[in-house]
Structure formats: structure tokens, C-alpha cells
């Protein structure tokens, strides 16, 4: 049954990929590739004998895996139907939410990249001065949570990496060797400082977006582009795994601990592919109606945007991943990401999964429309769509939509808007003097 369910979702993904290629939609293709990592590659690993994230928690892994895939299939199918209907009936649906581009946006993006890189260098230097070493910084970020109030600074560094990537891609397009070297350095600096918070998915997303532009034809996605991107993507996946092992070694102080898991499980954890494992646990323990969240996580997503400075008593546990992992491991500090289908399932049951799939389809259509409006051949447009589908609403999850819009979308929109402004110096009025003799 597990294998049949896996074949079913692979077929649905294949059909969805065909639709995305017909639409020439880079954001939909990239979103589906991430979805495939979680709900095709990860189940295949498990069927071939890879360990689950915590094997002792699972009863019958084959049965749980089959039902988890069925829920994921329903979610994906609802999204597919929604994208097809909206794309046919309402071309350009939601494009009004995206700003129009101007010819000056490339220059403004480069200036913002340099400015934010300088800020990132200052932030990184301050972190090293305060904590003394990379190991101490990572420990403060992931274990003691001493960096919990600095996520605004982390977002600034992430935006620096975003605009550095855009500026780098523009320099490569225009064949400017000097600028390419400068913005490659800026991109690397921002990614390094960004990683000091233990962030890996966002850095992987920004690198993936950069690769997507480089392996496509001026941002236009096709089958050959997907093949090239997949080859480089596997290299990126290997790099992410190595980075995760190094981070574990730094946190634990032991390479033996870092290599305690098998390589496939480590790879799955490093790339958040264990969202499928989380969905299996949701199917096992939360589909009876006894422990459903009844929308609590969606409410938490709304209040999450309120700064702690304005709300000193703001609850420390608002993320669904933290609650979910502590349900099984009460003393755990970090969480387990649940993923789109799992979030809807644990909050609203089967009806929520169908509704969530429709919401996912609407989001993909809107992002595709914005991608076309901002220019499918523009690096900024591609990178914006990548951030939207993999950071702001990964797998169509809207729980953290509001805070991520504030931290990512609004600053990017403001930069695009600023590029359209035309600043002119005021011209002093000169009184008219009649010519002599008049």
C-alpha cells in the first residue's frame, strides 16, 4: 500500500510539473521540486530502509507512510485543480499585488546590496565580539536561544543576501567581471553571517534561486533547464548536508555525535525532508480528533508579528514545530517542521487538507502572475518568486505568512518602489524682467 500511494503522488506531481512547464512558471516548478523532495524522495528513502527521524515513536511505518502520502496527494491535487482553473479563467490573477519594475531597479538593487553587506559585516563582527567563537554563536542561537530577540537583524542579513544575489546575477548577465567579483563576495559574506543563526533552509533557498537563473534561459524554465538545475541541485544538497554535519559538530563539540546518524537521515534532516516524518506522526496521533489544534496555530501566526518590545509577555512558544516536537520530547529545545498538509491536518482535519490545497493553488497562481508581471527574464523577478514559494509560503503554509511578509516582502517591495521614484531638485522661480524698450 505504501508503494501504491507513492506511485499515486508521483503521478500527480508529474502531471503538475507538465502544467508548470506549459505555463513556463519557474516559481511553480521550484515549489514542486521542494514538494517532491519531501513527499517523493523522502518516502522512497524510507521504503529503501532509511531510518525515520526517531524510529521509536512510530508504530507501523508502512501503513503510516501510505496514509500520509494519501493526505499529501489530496492536498497536491486540490492545488493542481485550482492552478489549472485560475490560470485558464483568470489570467494574471493576483498580479496587482506585485509592483511594476523600472529600468533603475538594477542599480538600486546593487546599492542596497552593498549597504546591507556593510550592515551584515557589522552585525557579524558584533556577534563574534560578544560570543567569541563560531561554536559559541551557534550554541546561543540554537540551544540557549540568546539570539531570540535578534531576528530583525537576521532578516536584514537575509535581505542583504537576497539583493547581493540579484546584483550578482545582473553582473553575470551584463558580463561585468569586476562587479561579478564584488557581488560574489557580498553574497558570500551575507550567507555566512546569515548562517550564524543556524539558518540553513533560507540560505539553501537563496542559493537555489541563484542556480535556477544560471541554469535557465534568461529565467525561462524548460525541461532541459530542470535537468541542469537538478544536477547542480544535488551538489547543493551535498553541500547542505556537509554544512549541517559541521554545525552539529560545533554544537555538540564532537564529530562522533555529528556522524551518529546514517547519511540518508542526516541529509533528510538538513533539507527539512523530515516534514514527511512529521506528517506520519500527525496521521498516527492527531487524526482521531482528540488532540486537534482547532486553528490555534493559525491564530499564533497572526500574533507572531507583534514585536516582543511591544508585548513583553508574548508567549515564547508560538511555532507549531516547537509544540509538535515537545509533544513527544518535552525537553527538546528546537522543533520539528510539520509542513503544509500536516499543519492543516492537525488543525482542521481532512476538510482542512482539501481547503489547504486550494489555498496552496491560489498562492502558486498569484506568485506565477507576479513573476510574469515583474518580468520572467529579470533576476529580481525570479528571486522574488523563489523567496515567496520557499520562504514566505513553503508548501502553501500560511501560518507564518504575516511575519514573513513583514520581514521579506515589504522591504523588497519598498526597494522596487524606490527605484521607480524620480527625484528632482526644486527649481527656483525667477521673476520675469521685461526687455529694455518694452
Amino acid at each position: 500500500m505504501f508503494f501504491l500511494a507513492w506511485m499515486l503522488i508521483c503521478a500527480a506531481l508529474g502531471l503538475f510539473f507538465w502544467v508548470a512547464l506549459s505555463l513556463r512558471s519557474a516559481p511553480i516548478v521550484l515549489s514542486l521540486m521542494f514538494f517532491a523532495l519531501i513527499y517523493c524522495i523522502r518516502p522512497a528513502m524510507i521504503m529503501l530502509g532509511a531510518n525515520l527521524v526517531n524510529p521509536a515513536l512510530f508504530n507501523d511505518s508502512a501503513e503510516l507512510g501510505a496514509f500520509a502520502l494519501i493526505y499529501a496527494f489530496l492536498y497536491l491535487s486540490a492545488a493542481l485543480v485550482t492552478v489549472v482553473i485560475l490560470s485558464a479563467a483568470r489570467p494574471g490573477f493576483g498580479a496587482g499585488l506585485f509592483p511594476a519594475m523600472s529600468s533603475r531597479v538594477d542599480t538600486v538593487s546593487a546599492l542596497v546590496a552593498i549597504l546591507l553587506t556593510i550592515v551584515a559585516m557589522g552585525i557579524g563582527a558584533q556577534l563574534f565580539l560578544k560570543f567569541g567563537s563560531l561554536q559559541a554563536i551557534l550554541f546561543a542561537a540554537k540551544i540557549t536561544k540568546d539570539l531570540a530577540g535578534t531576528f530583525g537583524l537576521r532578516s536584514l542579513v537575509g535581505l542583504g543576501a537576497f539583493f547581493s544575489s540579484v546584483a550578482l546575477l545582473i553582473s553575470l548577465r551584463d558580463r561585468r567581471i569586476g562587479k561579478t567579483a564584488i557581488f560574489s563576495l557580498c553574497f558570500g559574506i551575507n550567507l555566512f553571517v546569515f548562517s550564524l543563526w543556524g539558518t540553513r533552509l533560507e540560505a539553501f533557498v537563496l542559493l537555489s534561486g541563484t542556480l535556477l537563473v544560471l541554469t535557465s534561459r534568461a529565467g525561462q524554465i524548460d525541461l532541459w533547464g530542470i535537468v541542469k538545475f537538478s544536477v547542480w541541485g544535488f551538489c547543493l544538497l551535498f553541500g547542505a548536508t556537509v554544512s549541517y554535519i559541521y554545525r552539529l559538530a560545533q554544537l555538540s563539540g564532537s564529530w562522533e555525535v555529528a556522524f551518529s546518524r546514517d547519511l540518508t537521515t542526516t541529509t533528510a534532516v538538513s533539507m527539512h525532508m523530515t516534514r514527511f516524518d512529521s506528517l506520519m506522526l500527525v496521521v498516527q496521533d492527531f487524526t482521531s480528533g482528540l488532540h486537534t489544534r482547532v486553528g490555534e496555530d493559525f491564530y499564533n501566526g497572526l500574533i507572531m508579528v507583534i514585536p516582543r518590545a511591544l508585548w513583553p509577555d508574548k508567549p515564547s512558544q508560538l511555532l507549531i514545530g516547537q509544540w509538535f516536537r515537545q509533544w513527544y520530547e518535552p525537553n527538546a529545545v528546537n522543533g520539528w517542521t510539520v509542513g503544509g498538509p500536516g499543519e492543516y491536518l492537525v488543525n482542521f482535519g481532512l476538510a482542512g487538507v482539501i481547503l489547504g490545497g486550494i489555498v496552496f493553488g491560489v498562492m502558486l497562481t498569484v506568485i506565477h502572475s507576479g513573476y510574469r508581471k515583474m518580468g520572467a527574464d529579470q533576476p529580481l523577478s525570479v528571486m522574488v518568486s523563489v523567496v515567496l514559494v520557499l520562504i514566505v509560503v513553503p508548501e502553501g503554509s500560511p501560518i507564518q505568512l504575516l511575519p514573513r511578509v513583514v520581514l521579506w516582502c515589504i522591504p523588497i517591495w519598498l526597494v522596487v518602489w524606490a527605484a521607480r521614484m524620480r527625484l528632482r531638485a526644486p527649481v527656483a522661480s525667477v521673476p520675469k524682467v521685461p526687455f529694455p524698450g518694452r
Side-chain angles (χ1 to χ4, degrees), residues 412-426:
I412 294 171
W413 264 232
L414 287 174
V415 170
V416 175
W417 174 76
R420 295 172 57 194
M421 296 178 61
R422 293 184 178 276
L423 301 179
R424 296 176 179 174

mmCIF file of all heavy atoms in Angstrom, residues 412-426:
data_model
loop_
_atom_site.group_PDB
_atom_site.id
_atom_site.type_symbol
_atom_site.label_atom_id
_atom_site.label_comp_id
_atom_site.label_asym_id
_atom_site.label_seq_id
_atom_site.Cartn_x
_atom_site.Cartn_y
_atom_site.Cartn_z
ATOM 1 N N ILE A 412 11.403 44.339 0.152
ATOM 2 C CA ILE A 412 11.705 44.176 -1.278
ATOM 3 C C ILE A 412 10.789 45.067 -2.110
ATOM 4 O O ILE A 412 11.232 45.741 -3.049
ATOM 5 C CB ILE A 412 11.558 42.698 -1.692
ATOM 6 C CG1 ILE A 412 12.622 41.850 -0.987
ATOM 7 C CG2 ILE A 412 11.695 42.548 -3.201
ATOM 8 C CD1 ILE A 412 12.436 40.348 -1.167
ATOM 9 N N TRP A 413 9.517 45.106 -1.746
ATOM 10 C CA TRP A 413 8.563 45.953 -2.466
ATOM 11 C C TRP A 413 8.987 47.426 -2.362
ATOM 12 O O TRP A 413 8.873 48.184 -3.316
ATOM 13 C CB TRP A 413 7.161 45.777 -1.893
ATOM 14 C CG TRP A 413 6.271 44.793 -2.590
ATOM 15 C CD1 TRP A 413 4.995 45.002 -3.050
ATOM 16 C CD2 TRP A 413 6.559 43.421 -2.901
ATOM 17 N NE1 TRP A 413 4.496 43.849 -3.618
ATOM 18 C CE2 TRP A 413 5.423 42.865 -3.538
ATOM 19 C CE3 TRP A 413 7.664 42.604 -2.699
ATOM 20 C CZ2 TRP A 413 5.373 41.552 -3.982
ATOM 21 C CZ3 TRP A 413 7.618 41.280 -3.141
ATOM 22 C CH2 TRP A 413 6.492 40.785 -3.772
ATOM 23 N N LEU A 414 9.457 47.843 -1.186
ATOM 24 C CA LEU A 414 9.873 49.239 -0.996
ATOM 25 C C LEU A 414 11.067 49.580 -1.878
ATOM 26 O O LEU A 414 11.149 50.687 -2.427
ATOM 27 C CB LEU A 414 10.216 49.481 0.473
ATOM 28 C CG LEU A 414 9.025 49.556 1.441
ATOM 29 C CD1 LEU A 414 9.522 49.658 2.881
ATOM 30 C CD2 LEU A 414 8.113 50.737 1.098
ATOM 31 N N VAL A 415 11.998 48.644 -2.032
ATOM 32 C CA VAL A 415 13.143 48.887 -2.902
ATOM 33 C C VAL A 415 12.704 49.029 -4.354
ATOM 34 O O VAL A 415 13.156 49.935 -5.081
ATOM 35 C CB VAL A 415 14.176 47.748 -2.756
ATOM 36 C CG1 VAL A 415 15.256 47.839 -3.832
ATOM 37 C CG2 VAL A 415 14.814 47.786 -1.377
ATOM 38 N N VAL A 416 11.800 48.162 -4.804
ATOM 39 C CA VAL A 416 11.296 48.253 -6.178
ATOM 40 C C VAL A 416 10.548 49.570 -6.382
ATOM 41 O O VAL A 416 10.686 50.234 -7.410
ATOM 42 C CB VAL A 416 10.379 47.050 -6.497
ATOM 43 C CG1 VAL A 416 9.762 47.194 -7.884
ATOM 44 C CG2 VAL A 416 11.163 45.740 -6.397
ATOM 45 N N TRP A 417 9.763 49.952 -5.374
ATOM 46 C CA TRP A 417 9.034 51.218 -5.465
ATOM 47 C C TRP A 417 10.000 52.402 -5.493
ATOM 48 O O TRP A 417 9.814 53.360 -6.254
ATOM 49 C CB TRP A 417 8.085 51.342 -4.279
ATOM 50 C CG TRP A 417 7.389 52.667 -4.175
ATOM 51 C CD1 TRP A 417 6.344 53.113 -4.923
ATOM 52 C CD2 TRP A 417 7.720 53.733 -3.266
ATOM 53 N NE1 TRP A 417 5.981 54.388 -4.542
ATOM 54 C CE2 TRP A 417 6.807 54.789 -3.531
ATOM 55 C CE3 TRP A 417 8.671 53.891 -2.270
ATOM 56 C CZ2 TRP A 417 6.853 55.996 -2.812
ATOM 57 C CZ3 TRP A 417 8.704 55.086 -1.568
ATOM 58 C CH2 TRP A 417 7.805 56.116 -1.839
ATOM 59 N N ALA A 418 11.055 52.350 -4.657
ATOM 60 C CA ALA A 418 12.034 53.441 -4.630
ATOM 61 C C ALA A 418 12.738 53.586 -5.975
ATOM 62 O O ALA A 418 13.087 54.701 -6.386
ATOM 63 C CB ALA A 418 13.063 53.185 -3.523
ATOM 64 N N ALA A 419 12.947 52.459 -6.667
ATOM 65 C CA ALA A 419 13.604 52.518 -7.974
ATOM 66 C C ALA A 419 12.747 53.238 -9.014
ATOM 67 O O ALA A 419 13.275 53.738 -10.017
ATOM 68 C CB ALA A 419 13.921 51.104 -8.456
ATOM 69 N N ARG A 420 11.451 53.305 -8.776
ATOM 70 C CA ARG A 420 10.556 53.980 -9.724
ATOM 71 C C ARG A 420 10.452 55.474 -9.455
ATOM 72 O O ARG A 420 9.920 56.218 -10.278
ATOM 73 C CB ARG A 420 9.160 53.356 -9.645
ATOM 74 C CG ARG A 420 9.112 51.903 -10.083
ATOM 75 C CD ARG A 420 7.748 51.296 -9.805
ATOM 76 N NE ARG A 420 6.693 52.061 -10.453
ATOM 77 C CZ ARG A 420 5.400 51.921 -10.171
ATOM 78 N NH1 ARG A 420 5.033 51.064 -9.228
ATOM 79 N NH2 ARG A 420 4.498 52.618 -10.808
ATOM 80 N N MET A 421 10.912 55.905 -8.283
ATOM 81 C CA MET A 421 10.816 57.325 -7.959
ATOM 82 C C MET A 421 11.827 58.134 -8.756
ATOM 83 O O MET A 421 12.946 57.707 -8.992
ATOM 84 C CB MET A 421 11.064 57.550 -6.459
ATOM 85 C CG MET A 421 10.030 56.917 -5.553
ATOM 86 S SD MET A 421 10.432 57.176 -3.808
ATOM 87 C CE MET A 421 10.399 58.959 -3.699
ATOM 88 N N ARG A 422 11.423 59.298 -9.155
ATOM 89 C CA ARG A 422 12.321 60.208 -9.871
ATOM 90 C C ARG A 422 12.514 61.441 -9.008
ATOM 91 O O ARG A 422 11.599 62.248 -8.848
ATOM 92 C CB ARG A 422 11.743 60.597 -11.231
ATOM 93 C CG ARG A 422 11.658 59.426 -12.209
ATOM 94 C CD ARG A 422 11.184 59.876 -13.575
ATOM 95 N NE ARG A 422 11.150 58.784 -14.520
ATOM 96 C CZ ARG A 422 12.200 58.351 -15.212
ATOM 97 N NH1 ARG A 422 13.373 58.936 -15.038
ATOM 98 N NH2 ARG A 422 12.098 57.359 -16.053
ATOM 99 N N LEU A 423 13.693 61.556 -8.432
ATOM 100 C CA LEU A 423 13.986 62.676 -7.545
ATOM 101 C C LEU A 423 14.515 63.841 -8.369
ATOM 102 O O LEU A 423 15.484 63.699 -9.119
ATOM 103 C CB LEU A 423 15.019 62.255 -6.492
ATOM 104 C CG LEU A 423 14.602 61.069 -5.611
ATOM 105 C CD1 LEU A 423 15.720 60.732 -4.632
ATOM 106 C CD2 LEU A 423 13.321 61.374 -4.859
ATOM 107 N N ARG A 424 13.867 64.953 -8.232
ATOM 108 C CA ARG A 424 14.277 66.143 -8.972
ATOM 109 C C ARG A 424 14.509 67.286 -8.007
ATOM 110 O O ARG A 424 13.715 67.512 -7.097
ATOM 111 C CB ARG A 424 13.191 66.543 -9.979
ATOM 112 C CG ARG A 424 12.961 65.482 -11.070
ATOM 113 C CD ARG A 424 11.810 65.886 -11.966
ATOM 114 N NE ARG A 424 11.586 64.899 -13.010
ATOM 115 C CZ ARG A 424 10.566 64.938 -13.864
ATOM 116 N NH1 ARG A 424 9.673 65.922 -13.771
ATOM 117 N NH2 ARG A 424 10.433 64.020 -14.789
ATOM 118 N N ALA A 425 15.588 68.034 -8.245
ATOM 119 C CA ALA A 425 15.875 69.188 -7.402
ATOM 120 C C ALA A 425 14.878 70.291 -7.704
ATOM 121 O O ALA A 425 14.502 70.513 -8.866
ATOM 122 C CB ALA A 425 17.294 69.687 -7.661
ATOM 123 N N PRO A 426 14.382 70.994 -6.682
ATOM 124 C CA PRO A 426 13.431 72.069 -6.929
ATOM 125 C C PRO A 426 14.074 73.200 -7.717
ATOM 126 O O PRO A 426 15.234 73.551 -7.512
ATOM 127 C CB PRO A 426 13.048 72.528 -5.516
ATOM 128 C CG PRO A 426 14.196 72.098 -4.651
ATOM 129 C CD PRO A 426 14.720 70.832 -5.264
#
